[in-house]
């Protein structure tokens, strides 16, 4: 038997027979508490940073990469430290590092870099992370591999396989993640959370030092690590590459799935937690002494699961957010179980333990960085998510490695046939309805299931799904620009030019020059927004949070002062480019456009500056949560004149926001009204769209003009808890039962 095969034992052969006793308790508590602290701080840091960067999903993605990089640094440090023969010296060095990390406590956002950069927000966020949190986080992240290394040097019966401690670590991670949205975020302020984390850091220091003492007392003097034969066991670079790939794919899918979810629901920690929770749960399952789900079952059903996610991804069928979220999470979980299960089966002898974790962490960093940093630069659309889903099919064990068999030929014919039919139908210029697209896309989906184990055949079928749905999509193509805040597309057809952000329409203009300056969609004259801008056309100063294509600019009157606030430089470039949209260039060429997060930029305006203020900020279909809190409303009111009017556009597919705003309005002493507008069924598509809006003022008299139409309904608070920067109930808003 080769040395390499000796270093890659099967899962069954490495499972220890002995049970943990009191002597193992400090080790278990250390990895458990360390993991809790690591995964409490991630959503807590994102909660601190999100209001500064517009609530973009990229805030979480870049933060996740920062945490993974710090984790890699901690694992690298543990790997080097474990090479020291003296465990006593290791304990001393680690104690010094932990004490040094305490200088960053209690945790907070450093102001050393000033306000966020609109041009380089990712670099700003990484710099803030490095100064604010990287040192204590990196020190704690070394806990799991370091403790396992110490454990492996003891004379305990199961010292030869300390990998089960990694499962305990991930259970702690799950508790930390669950505790934040369920306990900390709803009931405590961020400052309180930071202080509690500081206390936990101190308790962990005590546990780690106690573990060190136990390790010294139980040290196996005759063999302070592993046998000489194990130390000399070779490990091929191919094997290291496999470890890297099997950790890269789930990490990339984690970021991709999170982006997919938060882009169209809400950019909030509540929705960042479920994908990460499932991702970590797979580590618990595959590294436990008894796998919860047999790996054979996981591998058997992986092609069917991936095929289902591939079918859902292009949105050929409107499943609703619950099913769409469920499909995305199940796909992430199952693909991660497949990859991590294969990774666990290849775990090496304990002599390679810290190296194994180091490479696994490196794969995680590279996977996250690929999605968060590299993909936005090299891809115009979000191709990274489906590409990595397809890569999952490539790492599955092959059933047929020889020539293409009869089943393979059948699946290839199905995929090619579906693609050919799609091109033929699209060439006619008449795009089929969703049902036809769904049926045609289902052909290569079935092909993935039938081709199980035939890797490249499955991948070809997967690609065919994308081709079919893209070719037959009437709003595919167009000009695309991708940045930190998402993908913006400019499309043209049917006499309209459209701006799409993600999957949501953010404005339209008629290409007919005679009617080109007529506001359309949510801003058409008949909509609540159009009504207010026409009724209050005597406002001297007008503020608009969210630029879009600049439709409302054409409601302006001579002598008015208009200010737009837009966080995405790409949107500003498109809206002000007369070759694409002319609302701004024709109606408000001299308007002031402030690039950056509205809450930061509004703070610089004079008190009572605006007579009319519109909140129309969306990231795809999601309204940034930090713009609908009590602190945000207090800012809007501070910048509104005594008789000023504030209107909020709250149309979206997922969250019921009437009571969210009504509660805040009552707390701020404002009157609030709502209007749900539905256009005439005969209205041309894109000319006018259903619009849900709310209207606010300090005094009732300011709204008399609007209320004369009889279209507005007064809204009273139900007495529930208003959202603040420290509290939000996204799930309640999604279920329509805000509490």
């Amino acid at each position: 038997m080769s040395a390499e095969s000796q270093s890659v034992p099967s899962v069954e052969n490495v499972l220890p027979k002995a049970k943990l006793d009191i002597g193992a308790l400090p080790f278990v508590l250390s990895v458990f508490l360390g993991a809790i602290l690591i995964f409490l701080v991630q959503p807590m840091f994102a909660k601190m940073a999100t209001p500064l960067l517009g609530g973009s999903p990229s805030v979480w993605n870049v933060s996740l990469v920062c945490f993974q990089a710090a984790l890699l640094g901690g694992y690298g440090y543990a790997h080097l430290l474990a090479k020291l023969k003296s465990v006593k010296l290791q304990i001393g060095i680690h104690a010094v590092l932990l004490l040094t990390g305490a200088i960053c406590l209690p945790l907070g956002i450093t102001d050393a870099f000033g306000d966020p950069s609109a041009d380089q927000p990712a670099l700003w966020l990484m710099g803030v992370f490095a100064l604010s949190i990287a040192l204590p986080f990196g020190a704690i992240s070394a806990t799991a591999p370091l403790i396992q290394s110490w454990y492996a040097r003891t004379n305990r019966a199961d010292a030869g396989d300390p990998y089960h401690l990694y499962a305990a670590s991930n259970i702690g991670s799950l508790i930390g993640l669950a505790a934040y949205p369920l306990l900390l975020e709803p009931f405590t302020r961020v400052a309180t959370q930071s202080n509690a984390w500081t206390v936990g850091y101190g308790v962990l220091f005590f546990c780690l030092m106690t573990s060190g003492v136990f390790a010294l007392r139980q040290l196996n003097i005759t063999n302070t690590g592993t046998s000489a034969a194990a130390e000399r066991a070779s490990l091929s670079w191919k094997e290291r590459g496999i470890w890297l790939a099997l950790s890269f794919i789930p990490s990339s899918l984690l970021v991709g799935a999170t982006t997919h979810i938060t882009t169209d629901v809400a950019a909030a920690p509540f929705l960042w937690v479920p994908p990460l929770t499932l991702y970590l749960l797979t580590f618990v399952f595959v590294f436990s002494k008894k796998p919860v789900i047999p790996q054979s079952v996981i591998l058997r059903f992986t092609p069917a699961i991936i095929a289902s996610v591939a079918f859902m991804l292009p949105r050929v069928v409107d499943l609703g957010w619950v099913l769409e979220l469920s499909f995305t999470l199940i796909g992430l979980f199952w693909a991660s179980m497949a990859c991590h299960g294969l990774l666990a089966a290849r775990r090496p002898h304990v002599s390679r333990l810290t190296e194994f974790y180091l490479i696994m962490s490196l794969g995680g960093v590279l996977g996250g960085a690929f999605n968060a940093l590299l993909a936005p630069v090299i891809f115009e659309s979000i191709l990274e998510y489906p590409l990595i889903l397809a890569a999952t099919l490539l790492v599955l064990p092959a059933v047929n490695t020889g020539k293409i068999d009869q089943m393979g030929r059948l699946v290839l014919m199905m995929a090619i046939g579906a693609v050919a039919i799609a091109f033929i139908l699209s060439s006619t210029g008449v795009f089929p309805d969703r049902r036809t697209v769904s049926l045609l896309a289902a052909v290569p989906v079935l092909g993935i299931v039938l081709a199980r184990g035939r890797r490249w055949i499955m991948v070809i079928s997967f690609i065919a799904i994308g081709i079919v749905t893209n070719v037959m999509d009437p709003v595919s193509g167009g000009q695309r620009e991708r940045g930190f805040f998402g993908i913006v597309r400019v499309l043209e057809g049917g006499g309209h030019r459209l701006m799409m952000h993600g999957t949501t329409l953010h404005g339209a203009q008629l290409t007919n020059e005679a009617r080109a300056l007529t506001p359309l969609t949510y801003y058409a004259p008949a909509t609540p927004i159009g009504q207010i801008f026409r009724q209050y056309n005597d406002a001297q100063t007008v503020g608009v949070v969210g630029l879009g294509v600049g439709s409302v600019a054409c409601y302006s009157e001579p002598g008015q002062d208009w200010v737009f606030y837009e966080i995405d430089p790409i949107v500003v470039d498109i809206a002000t480019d007369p070759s694409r949209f002319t609302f701004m260039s024709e109606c408000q060429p001299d308007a002031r456009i402030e690039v950056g997060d509205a809450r930061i930029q509004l703070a610089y305006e004079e008190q009572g500056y605006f007579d009319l203020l519109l909140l129309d900020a969306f990231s795809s279909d999601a309204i940034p949560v930090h713009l609908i809190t009590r602190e945000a409303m207090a800012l809007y009111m501070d910048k509104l004149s005594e008789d000023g009017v504030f209107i909020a556009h709250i149309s979206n597919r997922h969250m019921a926001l009437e009571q969210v705003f009504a509660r805040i309005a009552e707390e701020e002493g404002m009157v609030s009204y709502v209007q749900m507008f539905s256009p005439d069924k005969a209205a041309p598509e894109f000319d006018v769209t259903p619009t849900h809006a709310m209207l606010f003022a300090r005094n009732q008299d300011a709204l008399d003009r609007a209320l004369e139409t009889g279209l507005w309904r007064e809204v009273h608070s139900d007495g529930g808890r208003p959202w603040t920067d420290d509290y939000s109930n996204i799930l309640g808003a999604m279920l329509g039962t805000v509490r």
Side-chain angles (χ1 to χ4, degrees):
M1 183 179 290
S2 67
E4 179 182 340
S5 63
Q6 290 177 344
S7 68
V8 188
S10 66
V11 176
E12 291 78 7
N13 292 336
V14 298
L15 294 179
K17 303 300 182 183
K19 293 184 178 180
L20 292 177
D21 56 29
I22 194 67
L25 189 59
F27 300 95
V28 175
L29 287 177
S30 294
V31 296
F32 183 73
L33 180 58
I36 289 178
L37 292 178
I38 284 175
F39 287 95
L40 275 178
V41 77
Q42 293 194 32
M44 184 169 70
F45 175 78
K47 181 82 171 179
M48 296 175 183
T50 295
L52 303 176
L53 285 169
S56 166
S58 295
V59 175
W60 174 252
N61 291 342
V62 174
S63 298
L64 191 60
V65 173
C66 290
F67 283 114
Q68 289 174 322
L71 190 70
L72 175 63
Y75 280 13
Y77 155 77
H79 178 60
L80 294 175
L81 196 63
K83 289 183 176 296
L84 296 176
K85 292 185 178 180
S86 172
V87 175
K88 190 173 185 179
L89 180 59
Q90 292 182 33
I91 296 169
I93 293 174
H94 196 52
V96 171
L97 180 64
L98 286 167
L99 292 173
T100 304
I103 64 176
C104 297
L105 304 179
L107 299 175
I109 298 293
T110 179
D111 58 3
F113 295 96
D115 289 341
S117 166
D119 296 324
Q120 297 292 339
L123 291 178
W124 180 89
L125 185 58
M126 288 188 284
V128 166
F129 174 86
L131 290 187
S132 302
I133 203 170
L135 189 56
F137 183 88
I140 293 179
S141 66
T143 298
L146 199 56
I147 285 291
Q148 291 178 64
S149 173
W150 293 349
Y151 195 88
R153 296 194 181 198
T154 67
N155 55 14
R156 300 189 56 76
D158 58 352
D161 177 39
Y163 287 101
H164 57 275
L165 292 176
Y166 190 63
S169 170
N170 283 287
I171 292 174
S173 304
L174 292 171
I175 292 175
L177 280 172
Y180 190 82
L182 297 179
L183 298 176
L184 290 184
E185 186 179 30
F187 303 112
T188 63
R189 299 179 62 85
V190 173
T192 305
Q193 298 167 19
S194 181
N195 290 332
W197 198 88
T198 301
V199 172
Y201 189 88
V203 175
L204 176 63
F205 179 84
F206 174 78
C207 289
L208 280 168
M209 294 305 100
T210 303
S211 298
V213 171
F214 271 61
L216 290 173
R217 288 182 176 179
Q218 302 177 56
L219 197 64
N220 188 336
I221 300 176
T222 60
N223 181 13
T224 60
T226 56
S227 67
E231 290 285 4
R232 290 194 300 268
S234 63
L235 183 67
S236 70
W237 284 104
K238 177 183 177 182
E239 185 65 21
R240 293 185 178 95
I242 293 174
W243 294 349
L244 194 70
L246 290 174
S247 53
F248 176 99
I249 291 173
S251 176
S252 177
L253 286 178
L254 168 63
V255 178
T258 304
T259 301
H260 183 67
I261 292 168
T262 57
T263 294
D264 292 309
V265 180
F270 175 84
L271 290 174
W272 294 330
V273 168
L276 185 55
T277 301
L278 290 176
Y279 173 82
L280 292 171
L281 191 62
T282 63
F283 283 113
V284 176
F285 287 170
V286 302
F287 281 98
S288 60
K289 293 186 177 183
K290 278 191 173 182
V292 177
I293 306 176
Q295 186 68 0
S296 59
V297 174
I298 293 294
L299 296 177
R300 175 178 293 275
F301 289 100
T302 296
I305 298 294
I306 298 298
S308 301
V309 176
F311 183 68
M312 175 276 301
L313 201 57
R315 298 189 173 190
V316 293
V317 179
D318 186 6
L319 300 175
W321 73 265
V322 175
L323 282 177
E324 188 172 330
L325 177 65
S326 300
F327 267 102
T328 304
L329 293 178
I330 291 171
L332 170 65
F333 173 77
W334 210 267
S336 298
M337 281 291 291
C339 292
H340 289 156
L342 293 170
L343 188 64
R346 307 184 79 96
R347 59 196 184 198
H349 189 276
V350 291
S351 62
R352 300 285 186 177
L353 181 145
T354 55
E355 182 181 7
F356 176 69
Y357 285 135
L358 179 62
I359 293 175
M360 189 167 67
S361 178
L362 177 60
V365 172
L366 293 177
F370 171 71
N371 280 60
L373 303 178
L374 184 60
V377 177
I378 62 177
F379 297 135
E380 289 185 347
S381 58
I382 304 179
L383 285 176
E384 61 274 16
Y385 186 41
L387 281 176
I388 300 302
L389 278 172
T392 305
L393 299 172
L394 287 177
V395 300
L396 299 177
V399 173
N400 185 351
T401 58
K403 296 181 179 180
I404 299 178
D405 60 6
Q406 185 174 354
M407 180 59 71
R409 287 192 294 271
L410 173 62
V411 173
L412 275 176
M413 291 173 61
M414 291 168 62
I416 294 171
V419 170
I421 294 172
F423 274 106
I424 292 171
L425 290 176
S426 64
S427 66
T428 65
V430 179
F431 291 94
D433 57 20
R434 283 188 171 184
R435 180 178 298 180
T436 304
V437 178
S438 301
L439 290 174
L440 195 57
V443 174
V445 167
L446 178 62
I448 294 178
V449 178
L450 295 176
R452 184 172 64 87
R454 299 161 180 84
R455 295 169 174 168
W456 286 107
I457 303 295
M458 291 191 295
V459 171
I460 291 171
S461 296
F462 188 99
I463 294 171
I465 298 170
I467 294 174
V468 167
T469 53
N470 188 66
V471 167
M472 300 176 72
D473 183 359
V475 295
S476 64
Q479 303 173 38
R480 298 171 184 259
E481 292 191 45
R482 184 176 183 179
F484 183 82
F485 300 100
I487 296 173
V488 182
R489 292 186 295 164
V490 178
L491 311 169
E492 191 167 329
H496 295 81
R497 187 172 292 120
L498 316 174
M499 177 193 281
M500 302 285 294
H501 188 281
T503 60
T504 303
L505 177 66
H506 275 223
Q509 185 171 25
L510 290 166
T511 54
N512 182 338
E513 291 187 11
R515 298 183 56 210
L517 299 183
T518 301
L520 306 178
T521 65
Y522 306 104
Y523 319 103
T527 68
I529 296 173
Q531 296 165 26
I532 295 301
F533 273 90
R534 286 184 296 125
Q535 292 162 349
Y536 292 85
N537 60 358
D538 58 344
Q540 293 301 302
T541 50
V542 180
V544 181
V545 177
L547 177 59
V549 299
S551 302
V552 294
C554 287
Y555 287 113
S556 62
E557 297 289 341
Q560 289 182 326
D561 180 15
W562 282 62
V563 185
F564 290 86
Y565 301 91
E566 175 57 52
I567 196 170
D568 193 343
I570 292 176
V571 172
V572 175
D573 291 341
I574 292 174
T576 56
D577 181 357
S579 68
R580 292 189 272 196
F581 296 97
T582 60
F583 292 119
M584 292 299 294
S585 60
E586 293 290 334
C587 298
Q588 274 293 326
D590 299 322
R592 178 157 55 98
I593 301 177
E594 299 293 345
V595 182
D597 181 68
R599 281 185 58 173
I600 294 175
Q601 300 303 322
L602 272 170
Y604 295 117
E605 302 293 353
E606 296 177 9
Q607 185 177 4
Y609 184 72
F610 293 109
D611 298 320
L612 178 60
L613 183 61
L614 167 65
L615 174 63
D616 184 41
F618 289 80
S619 174
S620 191
D621 194 54
I623 302 176
V625 173
H626 76 291
L627 295 181
I628 50 178
T629 64
R630 187 176 179 183
E631 293 85 348
M633 184 67 86
L635 176 64
Y636 306 146
M637 292 303 103
D638 182 64
K639 304 308 175 185
L640 206 62
S641 63
E642 187 61 32
D643 293 321
V645 172
F646 173 64
I647 180 170
H649 183 196
I650 62 173
S651 306
N652 72 98
R653 294 191 295 262
H654 304 293
M655 293 197 293
L657 296 176
E658 280 189 23
Q659 275 303 313
V660 173
F661 275 99
R663 292 173 186 175
I664 296 171
E666 184 173 275
E667 293 289 333
E668 294 298 317
M670 302 163 60
V671 291
S672 59
Y673 288 80
V674 67
Q675 182 180 156
M676 176 70 84
F677 169 81
S678 297
D680 190 301
K681 293 182 179 180
E685 188 179 13
F686 304 129
D687 279 19
V688 57
T689 52
T691 308
H692 194 185
M694 294 189 71
L695 194 61
F696 308 87
R698 284 193 180 92
N699 61 77
Q700 188 78 32
D701 294 341
L703 299 180
D704 284 347
R705 277 181 276 178
L707 300 182
E708 286 176 357
T709 63
L711 299 174
W712 295 89
R713 171 177 57 84
E714 190 171 6
V715 183
H716 297 283
S717 170
D718 61 2
R721 184 176 180 180
W723 287 11
T724 66
D725 286 348
D726 292 334
Y727 167 80
S728 57
N729 183 3
I730 305 298
L731 181 60
M734 291 168 65
L735 296 176
T737 56
V738 184
R739 295 186 174 88

